[in-house]
Amino acid sequence: MRKIDKRIKQAGLLFFLALCGAIFFCYILFNGGVVIDFLKKLILILMPFIYGFFIAYILNPIMDFFESKIVYPLYSKIVKSKKSNKKPYRFISVILAIGFFLLFVYALIIMIVPQVIESIQSIISRCPAYINTINIWVNDVISNNTDLAKVLSPYTANVEEWVINNVLPALQSWISNISSNIIGGVYSTITQLIKFIIGIIIASFLLANKEVYCAQAKKIVYAALREERANNLINNARFANKTFGGFLNGKIIDSFIIGCLSFIVITICQIPYALLVSVIIGITNIIPYFGPFLGAIPTVLIVLMVDPKKALLLIVVIFIIQQIDGNIIGPKILGDSTGLSSFWVIFAITVFGGFFGVFGMFIGVPVFAVIYAAIRTFVNERLKKKQLPDATSYYLDSDYHSDDDNTNTGKEIKFVKKTFENIYVEGKGKQVIVTIDKEETESNNSSDKKK
């Protein structure tokens, strides 16, 4: 009777949860705008904590470096105590990491922001002269090439009319909108700066007590889930942290190197607005695959307005630098941090970029790597329960086939060579008996991951 009562209670609980889920789904379906507005407001309220988590996540390796390589060795020599008290040298390490971060941000602002603002103001003020330069260059090219002039002569008047009636008024309207939005931009910048400062304070608390917060999260997981599921969730979280953190930190370092290298090469080549162009190239380089193209388009257009010949040179410079990054610098820093093939990288960037824009293109690869790893783990565990090998090489040119009389013990597994007839007629086709070897399976798994 107790077992029956327990089953009735479980069924009732499942029915209640399903009913609550259906009501919640219907509410979201008919009140989607209210839910979206609520989520936006919640994100704005929690923005200091979002900044804090992000800063703490970025600074955690730096703090660990200061703590293990500098602070702890010096502290242990100065304070010769047998008691293991982490608080003093952890506090010093947090201060050094936060100080390093603030110094780095201050250096970027002092070196980059004034010159970038000056470059943008120069571009806006000289925009009509730049358009005139492009017009003169196009006319020179057409006048020196009679065949091209004959081809383009029917369209010249239409292009000039389109530029005068559409492009120039739109450009003037854009400049006036920028001028009118300066006050709102200053207010928004001050608001975000205050939230950012609060985020730095929150990050210092997170860094100082990160082990405690991780232990509290593990307590919640073990209290809510069974042991096996709890351990799987914790292991998956560690894998997600390793994948996401390795990609994020590696990509930031890689983009910083590419930005500095671009600035050096562009300055040597005497290309205009070297610092502005280098900043754009470095920032967009964070996005895999599509980043170089996103960075090349605006930078080439900026230089094209000043000097068309230098714009062609800039295209060559960007192409060479991206080849160096893709074949030398990137693999050295990132390695195989995500474990995804090129196809899945492009898929992740396209999908997440479509939903979340540029930010989605940046986080899409590590997030999808975690999802891909979770699916792969689930599939491999299901195959192991069925006593089937989890190496992909077994399934390339053959299909699994089992007889009703024989059970799969995992020692010998029957695969039938793939033919069209095997789908409908049993027994046809070449049958292969595969003996499972644990070492061979593990080596195949490692080769699959490399692919």
Side-chain angles (χ1 to χ4, degrees):
M1 290 296 292
R2 290 182 179 178
K3 290 183 178 180
I4 296 174
D5 292 339
K6 189 176 180 180
R7 290 178 182 177
I8 292 173
K9 288 180 181 179
Q10 289 178 349
L13 180 61
L14 290 174
F15 176 76
F16 176 74
L17 293 175
L19 182 62
C20 292
I23 294 172
F24 182 69
F25 176 76
C26 292
Y27 179 80
I28 292 176
L29 187 64
F30 293 104
N31 300 277
V34 177
V35 175
I36 291 173
D37 292 338
F38 172 76
L39 291 176
K40 288 181 179 179
K41 187 175 181 180
L42 182 64
I43 290 173
L44 289 175
I45 294 171
L46 296 177
M47 190 57 69
F49 290 91
I50 295 173
Y51 282 141
F53 279 112
F54 181 76
I55 294 170
Y57 196 77
I58 294 294
L59 294 183
N60 184 51
I62 299 174
M63 188 202 70
D64 289 339
F65 172 79
F66 281 127
E67 186 176 271
S68 60
K69 302 296 183 181
I70 300 174
V71 178
Y72 179 72
L74 292 175
Y75 182 83
S76 60
K77 290 180 180 179
I78 296 172
V79 182
K80 297 180 180 180
S81 177
K82 295 182 179 179
K83 295 181 179 179
S84 58
N85 186 9
K86 273 190 173 183
K87 286 186 178 181
Y89 59 84
R90 171 60 60 84
F91 177 74
I92 297 171
S93 302
V94 171
I95 291 177
L96 289 175
I98 296 292
F100 174 81
F101 174 72
L102 293 176
L103 183 64
F104 179 76
V105 172
Y106 176 76
L108 285 179
I109 292 173
I110 292 300
M111 290 189 299
I112 294 176
V113 172
Q115 294 192 38
V116 170
I117 293 174
E118 184 181 350
S119 300
I120 294 173
Q121 289 176 346
S122 175
I123 291 170
I124 293 174
S125 61
R126 298 180 183 179
C127 193
Y130 292 155
I131 294 174
N132 188 34
T133 302
I134 295 174
N135 190 22
I136 293 172
W137 178 72
V138 171
N139 290 331
D140 290 340
V141 172
I142 293 174
S143 61
N144 294 329
N145 195 330
T146 56
D147 295 332
L148 184 62
K150 291 179 182 179
V151 174
L152 297 178
S153 58
Y155 308 101
T156 304
N158 295 330
V159 171
E160 290 179 355
E161 183 180 356
W162 176 74
V163 170
I164 294 171
N165 296 330
N166 296 307
V167 175
L168 291 179
L171 188 61
Q172 292 175 356
S173 175
W174 178 66
I175 294 172
S176 63
N177 288 333
I178 290 176
S179 302
S180 62
N181 290 330
I182 289 176
I183 297 175
V186 170
Y187 174 77
S188 177
T189 302
I190 294 173
T191 304
Q192 294 298 324
L193 182 61
I194 294 172
K195 293 180 179 179
F196 186 76
I197 293 172
I198 298 173
I200 293 175
I201 298 171
I202 294 171
S204 63
F205 284 106
L206 292 174
L207 290 171
N209 301 289
K210 62 177 184 176
E211 291 88 358
V212 176
Y213 296 129
C214 291
Q216 290 175 347
K218 287 170 70 175
K219 282 173 61 178
I220 295 172
V221 171
Y222 281 121
L225 301 175
R226 294 200 307 266
E227 179 183 351
E228 182 181 358
R229 291 186 178 181
N231 288 329
N232 288 334
L233 179 60
I234 292 170
N235 289 330
N236 290 333
R238 286 172 179 156
F239 175 80
N241 174 55
K242 181 182 177 182
T243 302
F244 197 86
F247 178 83
L248 184 65
N249 295 321
K251 203 62 182 171
I252 289 174
I253 295 171
D254 175 56
S255 299
F256 179 75
I257 294 173
I258 291 301
C260 295
L261 181 62
S262 301
F263 177 73
I264 294 170
V265 176
I266 290 171
T267 303
I268 293 173
C269 296
Q270 297 181 350
I271 297 174
Y273 305 114
L275 186 61
L276 177 62
V277 170
S278 303
V279 170
I280 295 174
I281 291 173
I283 292 174
T284 55
N285 189 72
I286 295 176
I287 301 171
Y289 284 93
F290 298 109
F293 301 102
L294 294 175
I297 293 171
T299 53
V300 170
L301 290 176
I302 290 171
V303 177
L304 181 65
M305 292 190 295
V306 182
D307 192 342
K309 294 181 181 179
K310 295 292 185 180
L312 296 176
L313 178 60
L314 178 62
I315 294 174
V316 176
V317 169
I318 292 175
F319 177 77
I320 294 173
I321 290 175
Q322 292 304 326
Q323 291 299 314
I324 295 172
D325 179 40
N327 296 296
I328 300 174
I329 300 176
K332 291 290 184 182
I333 296 175
L334 293 172
D336 191 17
S337 59
T338 60
L340 295 177
S341 62
S342 301
F343 171 79
W344 291 119
V345 170
I346 296 174
F347 176 81
I349 294 171
T350 304
V351 173
F352 282 84
F355 280 106
F356 306 106
V358 177
F359 179 73
M361 297 176 74
F362 171 55
I363 67 167
V365 175
V367 170
F368 186 78
V370 174
I371 297 172
Y372 182 87
I375 296 173
R376 183 179 61 194
T377 302
F378 172 76
V379 171
N380 290 342
E381 287 181 353
R382 295 288 297 175
L383 288 171
K384 287 179 181 178
K385 288 181 179 180
K386 294 182 178 182
Q387 300 293 332
L388 288 172
D390 54 3
T392 308
S393 57
Y394 286 102
Y395 304 90
L396 289 175
D397 297 317
S398 55
D399 298 329
Y400 171 65
H401 177 76
S402 62
D403 296 329
D404 294 334
D405 298 336
N406 298 325
T407 58
N408 181 11
T409 61
K411 294 181 180 179
E412 289 186 346
I413 297 178
K414 297 179 180 179
F415 284 85
V416 176
K417 189 171 180 61
K418 288 192 294 187
T419 60
F420 182 77
E421 291 80 4
N422 284 336
I423 300 174
Y424 300 101
V425 182
E426 289 188 20
K428 288 190 176 181
K430 185 178 179 181
Q431 191 174 23
V432 181
I433 304 296
V434 180
T435 302
I436 299 301
D437 187 2
K438 186 176 182 181
E439 294 181 357
E440 182 184 357
T441 305
E442 291 177 353
S443 64
N444 288 329
N445 285 334
S446 62
S447 63
D448 291 339
K449 291 179 181 177
K450 290 180 180 180
K451 291 179 182 178

